[in-house]
Amino acid sequence: MSPVLSVAQSSHADYLSINHRKHSTENITYYIDPNKGTDQNSGLSIKQAWKTFNHINQIILSAGDKIKILSPGAFRESLFAIAEGTAHAPVVIQFAPGNYNFYPDHFYKRLLAISNTNDTPDEPKAIAIYLANCRFLNVNATGANIILHGKAIETCVYQSENVALHGISYNYNRPTVSEIKVVDVQRGFADVMVHPDSWYTVKDSLLTWRGEGWSYRPDSYWQVYDADYVYRKDIPFNNIRCVVLGKNKLRFYFKNNPGFTTGLIYQNRNVLRDCAGILFAYSKNITIDHVRIYFMHGMGVVSQYCKNIKVSHLSVKPDEKSGRTCAAWADILHFSGCSGLIEIKNSYLSAANDDAINIHGTFLKIVENTDPNRITVRFMQGQTYGFNAFMKGDSISFIDPLTLQAFATNSITSVKMLDGKNIALTLKHSVPQHGLNNVVENITRTPNVWIHNDTITRIPTRGILITTRRKSIIKNNLINHTYMSGVLVSDDAASWYESGEVTDLKIDNNTFLDCGEPVINIHPENTQRGTGAVHKNIRILNNTFYLKNRMALSVKSTNNINFTANKIFINKNYGIDSCISFYDCSGISTGKNKVILADTLNRSK
């Protein structure tokens, strides 16, 4: 597997690289007890338990080895495991139930270029649990709650295969999203209660949010939590002055109310993209099972150039006892350049500051063609660059960025990273004429997708974004109160450069409850019409829509779209033609749909 472009760095001498570690003997059990253990012990029995992960961070675990963390407690170093298990004798890391406080001061750190998350490319990322160069490793942690005391990647699986995370929970002692509740609004001021977990100071009438190792002054980016909905709101906070009324009670003074409403909860975060919550990179056969995320900082669970990822019974929502309303700083599940099968099932995805699920590739622009079989391509989006997006043997497609249509394909014989933005590709065949300023997509790194039996709710943007050319099924899900579309099929080579075409998508037997409209939006961002459509073969069948207004479906530049046997509940007497819209489409089928008049009180039943 080709690595992410990065440089390993560490602030702690005990993190040995794989070349400097010794192999453990097979079928050995190592014991760690952060409360009763000491690193002068042998680590080979309960009474001889180690205190820290330091010894584990210096060995290569062998087939059948086990690590047993006997009791919850505090860790000030990372768990950096390298494991060489087998299918019959996997390595097992077992956490006892309870709260584990992780302090990042001495975590393992390394440079990582993460898709959609690259505001601080030269800043090493701290990692709490780092699973690198592993195979056949199971982390069993039912009832174990990892609590971060500062920004860090909670778990990173890197250049590994057959790794499973089971039962583990993640949280932050001080979440990086701050929350207030407005208790009173009068002319010229608003009184708010600050959540106890949202630490702050007020000096010279200016509010500063403070955390563990970070602080910032609130800017205009806010998000409003209003019962079933969350949505973004621009509040120019630089014009607001603040005074302290009492414990966790503040008064905001303003000339004109910028958008505060009594009874609503407002979330605020620093929009600097400096981290990911959980990162899977250049790995395959990764499983998340019965994992609970109470809060994660950064671009959610990012899977980058991985093959075969299974997410089952993932729960993303705040701890019910906490009184918090936000669980994810941005996206929840973000997949970039993945392949094989992505399966997301039986999961509850909620309380984010961005999309619940985003699956895409990346277009790179052709900027140089000095040799018939060689091109230089460039990352164009400021958040997405620095990683190797291609491997020898991959196939690429040449795309016109205006029409978003392919006009040639080729295969890669060699790859050379020139710098963080530019990659030289040597190709098997000659480059087509007029290649400059077009874009390429790695069509090998495109996944099949199966999203089923999930609940997606309280999302300020889209429920599911999906752009992949391979077979995809979205079935038996409840998509509830997304502020924007429940499902968006885009494709663009001008803004986020998130590729690519959709050729086989089935959206079947889902319930869409009061989502933003159009509820299903097929909207490639081409600016010119090509010789054909951008997307094709999309089937929307047997779904139930409870509409806020009237638009269930909008489609652009798509061939062979089937909208059949859907039920549309609506509170005004609109016909089916008022609920669906097609532009520059062909091969349209819209049979056996029902539009049902339902008053507001009965719509959600």
Side-chain angles (χ1 to χ4, degrees):
M1 291 266 181
S2 176
V4 174
L5 181 67
S6 56
V7 178
Q9 294 189 10
S10 174
S11 61
H12 200 286
D14 290 334
Y15 300 113
L16 297 184
S17 68
I18 189 171
N19 295 328
H20 292 89
R21 297 191 183 201
K22 294 182 179 180
H23 280 83
S24 163
T25 306
E26 293 184 356
N27 299 306
I28 297 295
T29 299
Y30 299 101
Y31 296 88
I32 296 174
D33 189 330
N35 300 307
K36 299 179 181 179
T38 174
D39 285 354
Q40 283 67 50
N41 287 336
S42 68
L44 298 178
S45 69
I46 293 176
K47 292 184 178 180
Q48 285 288 311
W50 292 321
K51 182 178 181 65
T52 74
F53 297 128
N54 286 336
H55 287 287
I56 299 299
N57 297 337
Q58 300 179 61
I59 63 174
I60 297 174
L61 298 162
S62 298
D65 284 354
K66 294 181 176 61
I67 301 171
K68 289 190 175 182
I69 299 101
L70 298 172
S71 65
F75 289 96
R76 300 184 181 275
E77 71 284 338
S78 302
L79 169 58
F80 182 169
I82 299 176
E84 296 182 354
T86 67
H88 297 292
V91 172
V92 176
I93 301 174
Q94 183 175 324
F95 286 81
N99 291 332
Y100 294 80
N101 292 285
F102 275 65
Y103 297 86
D105 292 349
H106 298 293
F107 278 3
Y108 176 80
K109 296 178 182 179
R110 67 171 299 164
L111 292 176
L112 288 166
I114 304 172
S115 179
N116 295 68
T117 314
N118 215 13
D119 273 336
T120 57
D122 299 322
E123 180 181 297
K125 316 301 182 192
I127 306 169
I129 299 174
Y130 188 46
L131 311 175
N133 301 106
C134 294
R135 61 178 183 264
F136 294 102
L137 169 64
N138 297 330
V139 178
N140 297 330
T142 300
N145 186 22
I146 306 298
I147 303 172
L148 269 292
H149 289 260
K151 294 181 181 180
I153 296 175
E154 291 160 321
T155 295
C156 177
V157 179
Y158 186 80
Q159 282 190 311
S160 297
E161 57 185 73
N162 299 297
V163 174
L165 305 177
H166 178 82
I168 197 167
S169 297
Y170 297 99
N171 205 347
Y172 264 65
N173 182 56
R174 195 313 189 188
T176 55
V177 175
S178 302
E179 301 189 22
I180 62 172
K181 183 175 183 178
V182 178
V183 295
D184 186 33
V185 177
Q186 299 292 333
R187 185 177 181 180
F189 69 87
D191 291 341
V192 305
M193 292 299 299
V194 181
H195 192 283
D197 290 346
S198 299
W199 310 342
Y200 65 91
T201 57
V202 175
K203 184 178 181 181
D204 298 329
S205 300
L206 298 177
L207 172 66
T208 298
W209 297 121
R210 297 201 176 277
E212 294 172 287
W214 58 268
S215 65
Y216 77 98
R217 294 258 306 278
D219 57 13
S220 60
Y221 180 93
W222 290 76
Q223 184 161 286
V224 183
Y225 178 93
D226 183 1
D228 291 320
Y229 286 106
V230 289
Y231 54 89
R232 294 172 175 176
K233 191 169 187 64
D234 185 75
I235 297 177
F237 210 81
N238 59 326
N239 296 323
I240 293 175
R241 293 296 174 261
C242 178
V243 299
V244 177
L245 299 181
K247 184 179 180 180
N248 294 326
K249 188 172 184 179
L250 305 176
R251 176 167 290 175
F252 295 157
Y253 285 100
F254 41 72
K255 184 175 181 181
N256 297 303
N257 187 351
F260 293 115
T261 300
T262 301
L264 299 187
I265 293 173
Y266 292 73
Q267 305 166 355
N268 182 244
R269 64 178 169 98
N270 185 346
V271 297
L272 183 77
R273 298 186 178 209
D274 58 0
C275 196
I278 295 171
L279 175 63
F280 305 137
Y282 291 92
S283 298
K284 66 179 181 180
N285 303 333
I286 306 301
T287 300
I288 303 175
D289 180 46
H290 284 86
V291 168
R292 179 76 184 263
I293 296 173
Y294 297 110
F295 184 84
M296 59 179 166
H297 171 71
M299 187 52 67
V301 182
V302 178
S303 299
Q304 182 168 297
Y305 290 85
C306 292
K307 182 177 182 179
N308 299 331
I309 302 169
K310 184 175 182 179
V311 178
S312 177
H313 296 90
L314 171 66
S315 175
V316 182
K317 60 181 178 179
D319 188 340
E320 291 84 353
K321 301 175 184 177
S322 71
R324 300 176 190 164
T325 60
C326 181
W329 182 94
D331 288 3
I332 294 176
L333 296 172
H334 194 111
F335 303 86
S336 177
C338 292
S339 58
L341 174 64
I342 295 171
E343 182 181 7
I344 305 166
K345 69 174 185 178
N346 300 322
S347 294
Y348 188 92
L349 310 178
S350 73
N353 257 237
D354 215 322
D355 307 312
I357 300 171
N358 189 355
I359 301 168
H360 66 87
T362 302
F363 285 130
L364 280 77
K365 185 178 181 179
I366 303 171
V367 295
E368 189 175 56
N369 178 205
T370 55
D371 184 275
N373 290 71
R374 180 184 167 101
I375 57 176
T376 299
V377 296
R378 179 174 297 164
F379 289 104
M380 299 301 296
Q381 218 291 325
Q383 296 289 350
T384 300
Y385 66 93
F387 51 86
N388 196 343
F390 306 94
M391 301 179 194
K392 181 181 178 180
D394 286 351
S395 295
I396 61 172
S397 183
F398 290 79
I399 309 290
D400 182 333
L402 302 179
T403 65
L404 292 177
Q405 291 186 344
F407 59 89
T409 58
N410 215 317
S411 59
I412 299 171
T413 59
S414 70
V415 179
K416 183 179 180 180
M417 291 288 297
L418 302 177
D419 52 45
K421 293 288 183 73
N422 298 287
I423 305 174
L425 302 177
T426 303
L427 306 178
K428 183 176 182 181
H429 306 291
S430 296
V431 177
Q433 291 184 341
H434 311 297
L436 287 179
N437 297 318
N438 291 296
V439 296
V440 298
E441 179 188 14
N442 187 336
I443 59 178
T444 299
R445 309 297 161 180
T446 53
N448 296 282
V449 177
W450 187 17
I451 302 171
H452 58 112
N453 300 101
D454 302 302
T455 295
I456 295 173
T457 186
R458 294 185 175 89
I459 301 296
T461 48
R462 288 67 52 116
I464 300 171
L465 281 77
I466 183 168
T467 50
T468 177
R469 63 181 55 222
R470 301 187 190 275
K471 183 176 181 179
S472 300
I473 299 172
I474 300 172
K475 186 170 184 177
N476 297 336
N477 303 287
L478 170 62
I479 302 179
N480 178 17
H481 289 88
T482 58
Y483 199 71
M484 299 180 186
S485 296
V487 176
L488 171 62
V489 178
S490 185
D491 190 16
D492 86 88
S495 55
W496 281 99
Y497 287 80
E498 293 183 357
S499 62
E501 66 174 306
V502 168
T503 65
D504 185 355
L505 171 62
K506 186 178 183 180
I507 303 173
D508 182 20
N509 200 42
N510 303 282
T511 297
F512 297 93
L513 176 58
D514 283 352
C515 295
E517 298 180 9
V519 176
I520 298 176
N521 192 9
I522 316 298
H523 192 86
E525 296 182 25
N526 55 313
T527 58
Q528 292 183 9
R529 183 177 183 178
T531 57
V534 177
H535 299 310
K536 61 185 178 182
N537 303 328
I538 298 177
R539 301 170 304 286
I540 303 169
L541 315 172
N542 309 305
N543 299 283
T544 301
F545 298 83
Y546 294 92
L547 298 184
K548 292 195 299 180
N549 190 14
R550 67 175 185 178
M551 188 56 64
L553 171 69
S554 179
V555 186
K556 173 192 172 189
S557 300
T558 301
N559 288 347
N560 299 329
I561 183 160
N562 187 343
F563 186 80
T564 300
N566 299 286
K567 294 181 180 179
I568 302 172
F569 289 84
I570 198 164
N571 61 7
K572 292 184 181 179
N573 193 16
Y574 293 115
I576 184 64
D577 290 341
S578 296
C579 299
I580 55 179
S581 172
F582 301 94
Y583 173 76
D584 190 24
C585 297
S586 63
I588 300 168
S589 177
T590 59
K592 300 181 181 179
N593 297 295
K594 293 183 179 180
V595 178
I596 302 167
L597 186 64
D599 62 60
T600 302
L601 292 177
N602 293 325
R603 289 171 65 213
S604 62
K605 294 183 179 180

